[in-house]
Amino acid sequence: MTHAHHAHGGHAHDDHARADNAPADNAPAGQDDAGLADMLDLDGVVLRDYWSSALTWLRRAARHLPRTRLLDVGAGSGVGTIALAQRFDGAEVVAVDQDEQMLDRVRGKALDLGLAPRVRAVQADLDLGLPPVEPVDVCWASMSMHHLANPDRLLGEVFATTRPGGLLAVAEFAEPLRHLPDDLGVGRPGLEDRLLTALNHQHAHELPEIGADWPPRLTAAGYTVLEHRTFRIDVRPGRDADAARYAQLWFERLAQGFTDSVADDDLEVLDLLIGDGPQSLRRREDLHLHGERTVTLARRE
Ligand SMILES: C[S@@+](CC[C@H](N)C(=O)[O-])C[C@H]1O[C@@H](n2cnc3c(N)ncnc32)[C@H](O)[C@@H]1O
């Protein structure tokens, strides 16, 4: 078996608009590799309805702003960065992340899409503070705040660099996304419940800000919270290669982190799901990606 790290993930639906997908945010803390970047990219594909709903909402809320500069905090592989650059015509988008590998993806996508002159990728450890950025009009922070040692400090710094009237949108999740039917027809029913219980336990130690109540945190940083919206993710992709790969990457990361906290028979089933045999996620037609993501929208008055 191959077990090795951890993951986190989550997702959402719009109260009004329905999202067929969810972003990915569940990537493990501190493990940066091509697998995580792939998973984030697939989050944008498989959960495209969520992304579209959330960013369209932000775009509309920002329609009166001059839109000269946007900031993507913890940009990852750039799903949000690129979508923002496409939606905010003519604006500069600054993507900040600590991981150069991620930022290379951002730069590559920007180049491919003719957005390079407007997309700037900046490497920085946000735990050491926001790097110098010119004043911004809109900040997007997706699945990144819960990674930070002190998100309140960063929120204060983002507030300070936001022009009056500017917006902040914080996308987060309370629980990772679920992918599997309760009874897989292999192993004991309830595998994913047990995995998520173990993951939640792990997150409580490693990522204590997951599931935080973000609106009061934004208020404390000086913002006026405009709305806290829940996006439901409910995607039945059938036999879809992207969704299967997305799930596979998720469970690979889970397996890597759970060698001690999950029963051996569950780890064996996990390996069957990740593998290429008859039980492989790639052969299943019953994946059901579901969960919730939240986006808190706030303004600097
Ligand atoms: C779950 S990913 C989300 C990426 C992207 N925002 C998205 O929604 O697809 C979290 C990102 O935060 C970045 N990150 C975590 N801690 C960080 C820190 N201290 N400084 C800068 N970036 C950080 C990680 O490198 C990773 O790319």
Side-chain angles (χ1 to χ4, degrees):
M1 319 198 198
T2 4
H3 310 126
H5 317 100
H6 48 290
H8 41 291
H11 312 167
H13 97 133
D14 186 329
D15 284 352
H16 317 290
R18 144 192 208 296
D20 298 313
N21 36 9
D25 175 346
N26 306 324
Q31 303 290 346
D32 35 25
D33 53 19
L36 175 54
D38 287 348
M39 195 170 79
L40 295 174
D41 278 348
L42 286 167
D43 193 88
V45 174
V46 180
L47 307 184
R48 65 180 83 74
D49 289 352
Y50 153 76
W51 278 94
S52 177
S53 297
L55 291 177
T56 298
W57 177 42
L58 175 59
R59 179 67 187 82
R60 288 180 185 167
R63 64 188 173 280
H64 301 304
L65 294 175
R67 306 188 308 271
T68 56
R69 189 170 297 102
L70 292 87
L71 177 64
D72 187 356
V73 169
S77 65
V79 173
T81 305
I82 297 300
L84 289 168
Q86 289 171 325
R87 278 177 166 75
F88 286 78
D89 197 21
E92 179 189 27
V93 186
V94 181
V96 179
D97 204 285
Q98 65 185 359
D99 184 342
E100 268 297 348
Q101 227 181 327
M102 294 288 185
L103 294 173
D104 278 345
R105 285 214 186 193
V106 180
R107 294 183 189 107
K109 287 178 194 170
L111 194 64
D112 291 348
L113 294 168
L115 298 168
R118 296 198 285 115
V119 171
R120 193 150 58 89
V122 176
Q123 195 275 331
D125 179 353
L126 292 163
D127 283 335
L128 302 179
L130 190 65
V133 182
E134 309 260 271
V136 302
D137 303 289
V138 176
C139 176
W140 167 252
S142 164
M143 311 301 155
S144 51
M145 282 296 168
H146 66 259
H147 283 281
L148 303 182
N150 189 345
D152 297 315
R153 191 181 70 178
L154 187 78
L155 287 170
E157 292 171 358
V158 171
F159 180 84
T161 202
T162 300
R163 277 192 263 259
L167 298 176
L168 165 68
V170 174
E172 282 286 336
F173 62 95
E175 273 225 345
L177 195 67
R178 287 166 184 263
H179 306 70
L180 302 174
D182 191 47
D183 187 354
L184 287 166
V186 52
R188 288 178 282 143
L191 170 70
E192 196 158 30
D193 273 344
R194 293 189 292 281
L195 294 176
L196 290 185
T197 298
L199 182 64
N200 286 340
H201 185 69
Q202 181 174 311
H203 281 170
H205 295 287
E206 296 179 4
L207 294 170
E209 299 288 2
I210 279 191
D213 186 11
W214 293 100
R217 311 279 287 265
L218 272 54
T219 302
Y223 289 96
T224 300
V225 173
L226 302 177
E227 194 174 343
H228 178 71
R229 195 175 278 199
T230 299
F231 292 82
R232 181 179 308 284
I233 299 209
D234 189 356
V235 183
R236 292 181 187 271
R239 198 158 173 168
D240 173 75
D242 285 335
R245 182 66 186 139
Y246 179 72
Q248 203 176 22
L249 287 165
W250 167 250
F251 286 110
E252 275 174 12
R253 302 185 79 85
L254 277 183
Q256 291 168 350
F258 285 170
T259 44
D260 298 332
S261 49
V262 171
D264 282 348
D265 63 329
D266 279 345
L267 290 177
E268 280 162 23
V269 173
L270 204 46
D271 277 352
L272 293 176
L273 292 172
I274 294 166
D276 290 327
Q279 308 291 348
S280 171
L281 288 165
R282 287 194 279 158
R283 294 173 198 266
R284 304 192 69 101
E285 295 182 354
D286 57 355
L287 292 184
H288 181 197
L289 282 63
H290 58 292
E292 287 182 349
R293 285 188 187 178
T294 60
V295 180
T296 311
L297 181 65
R299 182 172 57 219
R300 173 174 180 169
E301 302 294 358

